Amino acid sequence: MSDIQVWSQMDQYIEENLILKDAILEQVLRNNQQASLPEYDVSPAQGKLLQLIVMMNKAKRILEIGTLGGYSTIWMARALPVDGRLITLEYDPHHAKVAGQNITFAGLEDKVDIRIGDASEQLSQMETEQIEAFDLIFIDADKNNNARYLQYALQMSHPGTVIIGDNVVREGAILDQHSNDSRVQGIRQFYELLANDPRITATSIQTVGSKGYDGFAIGIVI
């Protein structure tokens, strides 16, 4: 049996034992597939982890950079209190449309605001608006701009804000400092900023599962 088969079976075991069957989230994944969205969604176990972090941090305001079809959005938004709010940024109008439909299907349209367009431009506009700081920020968009997104995230945080970056291992490709892959270089710059910016303390965890070999970074603004 291959490593990926074992990892996938282990993910299935975790889901069967720790994550309740959820018809809405299962339908959301089907909707994404039927709409021909790329299969970049977090796994159910990863979605549950994001939800638990929202709960542990008692977050009321969440920023998500990279919506896709809204699967991770729904996991996090469900953990918000009644007066909580999640802003999610999506570049692709088609993805945003599917996400909006999924979020409405999940009954969370009153808690989630989808902003469509280039994420850097959206973040710059939010700075101009002097938007209130966020309690949790999830960065899961185009990896070549990860460091730029982290810079904005730090500016939109307060002490105690949790910042999470997804896909920061990429099967170990990050080790190649001479890589011609802009995504790899973007994540390496992301690590450099995490390491050198005194406003945040962070670590990174390698993961395996149905999504393969990757990892996520998690930091707290101090």
Side-chain angles (χ1 to χ4, degrees), residues 138-163:
F138 180 43
I139 302 172
D140 190 16
D142 52 313
K143 308 309 172 187
N144 52 307
N145 283 313
N146 256 29
R148 181 181 300 172
Y149 298 150
L150 178 56
Q151 289 172 337
Y152 277 113
L154 288 167
Q155 292 163 13
M156 296 181 180
S157 300
H158 57 74
T161 294
V162 173
I163 299 177

Side-chain angles (χ1 to χ4, degrees), residues 66-68 89-96 115-119 142 149:
T67 315
L68 194 59
L89 312 181
E90 175 54 49
Y91 176 78
D92 190 306
H94 174 58
H95 296 177
R115 296 194 176 201
I116 305 171
D118 179 85
D142 52 313
Y149 298 150

Side-chain angles (χ1 to χ4, degrees), residues 139-140 143 146 164-175 183-184 186-188 190-191 194 203-207 213-218:
I139 302 172
D140 190 16
K143 308 309 172 187
N146 256 29
I164 304 168
D166 199 10
N167 308 122
V168 298
V169 171
R170 306 192 73 81
E171 298 185 334
I174 307 307
L175 294 173
R183 296 168 299 181
V184 169
I187 295 170
R188 286 181 63 89
F190 175 79
Y191 274 111
L194 283 176
T203 191
S204 185
I205 299 295
Q206 299 178 81
T207 62
Y213 169 37
D214 213 324
F216 64 90
I218 181 167

